[in-house]
Amino acid sequence: MSDITKSFGEFVTKTSFDDIPPEVVRVTKNAIIDCVGVTLPGSREEAGRIMQEYALQIGGQEAARVIGTTIKTTGPLASLANGVAAHVLDLDDVNSLLIGHPSVVLMPTIMAAGELSGASGRELLLGYILGFEIMVKLAGLLNPGHYEHGWHATSTFGTLGAATAAARILGLSPEQTQRALGLATSLAGGVRRNFGTMTKSFHAGNAARAGLESALLCRLGFTAHAEILDHSMGFLDVFGRTTDEALAALVDSLGNPFELASTGIDFKRYPCCGGVLAAVDAAIAIFQNPRFKLKDIEAIECGENSLGPQILVYPHPRTSLEAKFSLEFGVCRALLDGRLGLEEFTSEKVDDPALQELLKKTRSFIHPELENVRLSAEDRAQRFPAIITVKLKDGTVLTERVDDAKGRWDNPLSQEEVFDKYRLYAGPYLKKEQLARSLDLMDSLEDQSNVSELMAQLTTRPAEGKS
């Protein structure tokens, strides 16, 4: 019998805010800022509004807020609704070792747990950091096989990350934390075939809800297996395969270094799957080339590595949600418009005759030069490089290669660019003073006594009048 789960419980309960490096605190605040910013427009999407209506129908104790609305509901329902809204635009951050989206699970969890417990800003930050650490360290053991098998890692690993974050914020003991991980294991799920539908964003919200519920129940004395990471038929055995050597190194790797300081967070500039981002950067660079002429395009070639086709499964998307998982759509829209924002992901843009004509000239393929860029030996992180080639009728060939999209951990956004993204996406939904104050509160979160003022700044009344 090993002691992995016990070590996890002790690490989560004994780590203090003073143990966290300043650079980890900084990137955590940026992740929260970024995630809250994309949650506000996401709250207006159909999936977000359905979840708000569901929260109103189910009802319950008015203990936690649904961002972008005036709704107050139970902590688990708030985390569910906020997780769906945060993820539905696919504009939220990514961790390449997780091959998934950490903040859309962790942000809703820490906000709801913080409102339930009156936690300080430092406690929220610590909950996020520890949840991220457990989520990504586990992913490092089982990926890429876990992901390639069809699991949506945001939801599977995310449920245990959410349970960890909530356990810390709610003040669970080491043994209660172990049992919360055990319960979370039985609530974890989510398969990738649902990509391109509302259910993908449900995966994020459901992981947040399940993780928070696991911590709340185990705080009340509910039981689950306390060594869920140590035995056959436990989390590691059911969700994938690993090696004895990796297991032996796992415990010593906790916080050594923190994953937020090593594999970090990738911030998105475009509202689509991370596998499309580098290709869009390349397409926009071609659009800006003086020799590029849209009307003269003869053929478009999209080179990718073998991970891309496993995720980008809609070469001819029929809906705006499917378009988020289409390499061809992202490249063609970028060549048509010179950008790829929320305005490009509409039914009208998908049905656009000019787009449909361009798609007929486009093919994607696995490029041999990119296969060795897929998995970095240095940071174990998956990559989605792209080589985009546009052939014009006069024989001109324009080619751009991008290995790391702007915003990736090792090609980062500047601090001001992070703030600008928040202002861009949150600005239309908040009053001017709310926008400035909410950003200030998140940027100084470690100095805040509780989360209540921040959540109050994120309360708005949707035009639809649902709340």
Side-chain angles (χ1 to χ4, degrees):
M1 182 184 299
S2 62
D3 292 316
I4 295 173
T5 320
K6 180 180 179 181
S7 297
F8 273 38
E10 291 176 348
F11 172 76
V12 169
T13 53
K14 292 181 180 179
T15 301
S16 72
F17 189 80
D18 292 337
D19 297 323
I20 308 301
E23 64 271 20
V24 170
V25 175
R26 178 66 265 172
V27 73
T28 302
K29 291 192 292 186
N30 284 350
I32 293 170
I33 290 167
D34 185 81
C35 191
V36 170
V38 302
T39 300
L40 283 155
S43 72
R44 302 304 198 273
E45 293 292 302
E46 186 178 6
R49 290 188 286 106
I50 288 172
M51 280 300 157
Q52 293 157 24
E53 186 63 30
Y54 178 72
L56 288 171
Q57 289 181 8
I58 299 300
Q61 180 187 19
E62 295 185 355
R65 292 172 174 85
V66 176
I67 292 171
T69 77
T70 57
I71 297 171
K72 291 189 73 174
T73 186
T74 68
L77 280 174
S79 61
L80 171 63
N82 287 332
V84 170
H87 194 38
V88 68
L89 294 174
D90 237 303
L91 191 52
D92 53 286
D93 62 37
V94 173
N95 174 270
S96 299
L97 184 57
L98 175 66
I99 322 181
H101 304 257
S103 292
V104 289
V105 175
L106 294 174
M107 183 280 289
T109 302
I110 66 170
M111 295 303 186
E115 288 201 275
L116 293 178
S117 63
S120 70
R122 286 192 171 206
E123 290 168 325
L124 296 185
L125 288 165
L126 188 56
Y128 181 105
I129 292 163
L130 294 171
F132 187 100
E133 183 71 2
I134 296 305
M135 183 191 310
V136 178
K137 281 292 196 304
L138 290 173
L141 284 179
L142 302 186
N143 272 338
H146 172 87
Y147 189 85
E148 292 173 341
H149 190 64
W151 293 111
H152 186 194
T154 300
S155 187
T156 50
F157 299 116
T159 304
L160 272 67
T164 299
R168 176 60 200 225
I169 292 171
L170 296 173
L172 271 61
S173 69
E175 184 176 351
Q176 288 173 325
T177 301
Q178 291 175 237
R179 296 194 184 281
L181 291 172
L183 180 52
T185 292
S186 284
L187 298 176
V191 296
R192 290 198 288 119
R193 178 46 60 191
N194 270 312
F195 283 16
T197 75
M198 292 182 188
T199 299
K200 181 175 189 278
S201 59
F202 179 81
H203 289 168
N206 193 50
R209 176 198 59 77
L212 178 56
E213 284 184 341
S214 296
L216 288 168
L217 285 166
C218 291
R219 187 174 65 168
L220 292 173
F222 205 80
T223 64
H225 204 289
E227 292 92 32
I228 202 68
L229 302 174
D230 301 277
H231 297 279
S232 62
M233 297 181 290
F235 183 88
L236 296 174
D237 187 47
V238 170
F239 284 101
R241 293 291 182 269
T242 188
T243 66
D244 291 339
E245 293 78 11
L247 281 173
L250 176 61
V251 171
D252 289 339
S253 74
L254 294 175
N256 185 33
F258 284 97
E259 287 293 341
L260 279 161
S262 54
T263 55
I265 287 182
D266 305 340
F267 293 108
K268 289 185 178 183
R269 296 195 297 164
Y270 315 120
C272 55
C273 176
V276 183
L277 304 182
V280 173
D281 278 354
I284 291 175
I286 290 174
F287 176 88
Q288 295 170 341
N289 189 312
R291 293 181 293 166
F292 173 73
K293 294 180 177 62
L294 181 64
K295 63 181 178 62
D296 291 337
I297 291 178
E298 183 174 58
I300 302 168
E301 297 180 349
C302 305
E304 57 184 334
N305 63 27
S306 58
L307 184 59
Q310 299 180 44
I311 308 169
L312 308 175
V313 295
Y314 296 104
H316 298 280
R318 298 164 299 173
T319 68
S320 59
L321 288 176
E322 289 183 357
K324 293 177 182 291
F325 297 90
S326 174
L327 180 66
E328 295 82 0
F329 177 90
V331 169
C332 289
R333 275 268 55 114
L335 290 173
L336 283 165
D337 304 325
R339 63 181 185 275
L340 195 68
L342 295 180
E343 299 83 0
E344 278 65 59
F345 287 91
T346 64
S347 297
E348 292 75 17
K349 291 289 188 176
V350 173
D351 296 334
D352 177 15
L355 172 80
Q356 295 301 322
E357 188 62 30
L358 214 53
L359 286 174
K360 294 176 184 177
K361 301 177 181 181
T362 304
R363 76 176 185 101
S364 61
F365 66 101
I366 297 174
H367 200 298
E369 292 182 24
L370 299 181
E371 193 60 10
N372 63 353
V373 188
R374 173 177 167 179
L375 182 62
S376 165
E378 291 77 25
D379 60 16
R380 304 166 292 149
Q382 300 290 325
R383 283 176 161 81
F384 296 92
I387 298 176
I388 305 301
T389 299
V390 175
K391 298 178 180 180
L392 302 182
K393 295 173 183 177
D394 65 359
T396 300
V397 177
L398 304 175
T399 298
E400 290 286 344
R401 172 173 174 164
V402 175
D403 283 359
D404 295 323
K406 178 67 174 176
R408 195 185 181 280
W409 176 242
D410 45 10
N411 186 19
L413 300 182
S414 68
Q415 187 61 60
E416 195 56 34
E417 286 174 323
V418 172
F419 291 162
D420 285 344
K421 182 182 172 183
Y422 180 75
R423 296 182 185 109
L424 175 65
Y425 289 105
Y429 306 96
L430 299 176
K431 297 177 182 177
K432 186 176 180 179
E433 58 271 22
Q434 285 180 303
L435 182 68
R437 182 60 178 157
S438 61
L439 182 54
D440 286 344
L441 288 168
M442 288 184 284
D443 193 40
S444 60
L445 191 56
E446 69 270 39
D447 299 324
Q448 307 310 315
S449 59
N450 60 66
V451 73
S452 60
E453 184 183 356
L454 171 59
M455 295 304 286
Q457 298 300 326
L458 303 176
T459 297
T460 67
R461 184 174 296 279
E464 294 82 3
K466 285 286 184 183
S467 61

